Amino acid sequence: ANCDFPWIVRLGYRCLLYDNEIGGEGNHPTGEAIDVAFSNSHQLFMIVRESIQQGIRRIGISFKDGFVHLDMLKNRPDGVIWGY
């Protein structure tokens, strides 16, 4: 399936120093995580659906800030969706 809108990357890589300063868990400094913006429930659904179809097994959703966190960390539980 294809999305009918472009994916806007809010955050890809960030350095470990900054990640530590903001209390991150090291997902983005490894290059194994990305945050994608959404502006409505249709976009959220499409991002989550497409991600699962492409094999993404870890998805975090921030309704407050309007982004979906996608990662493929090997040392964390997979097959999970969580909210911020």
Side-chain angles (χ1 to χ4, degrees):
N2 292 316
C3 288
D4 55 359
F5 60 93
W7 287 27
I8 299 171
V9 176
R10 288 196 44 193
L11 178 62
Y13 173 83
R14 68 176 167 226
C15 74
L16 187 57
L17 179 63
Y18 179 68
D19 196 59
N20 289 335
E21 285 177 11
I22 64 168
E25 298 181 17
N27 300 348
H28 291 277
T30 66
E32 297 173 298
I34 189 170
D35 295 347
V36 178
F38 69 89
S39 59
N40 58 54
S41 62
H42 171 71
Q43 288 183 355
L44 171 60
F45 175 84
M46 296 295 287
I47 292 166
V48 170
R49 184 184 76 174
E50 186 68 20
S51 297
I52 290 170
Q53 288 177 348
Q54 296 302 319
I56 303 296
R57 306 279 299 156
R58 295 178 41 81
I59 300 171
I61 301 171
S62 174
F63 290 99
K64 177 182 172 235
D65 296 321
F67 71 87
V68 179
H69 170 91
L70 307 170
D71 76 48
M72 300 192 55
L73 295 174
K74 307 286 189 281
N75 60 344
R76 302 282 172 88
D78 72 348
V80 296
I81 295 178
W82 67 92
Y84 291 99

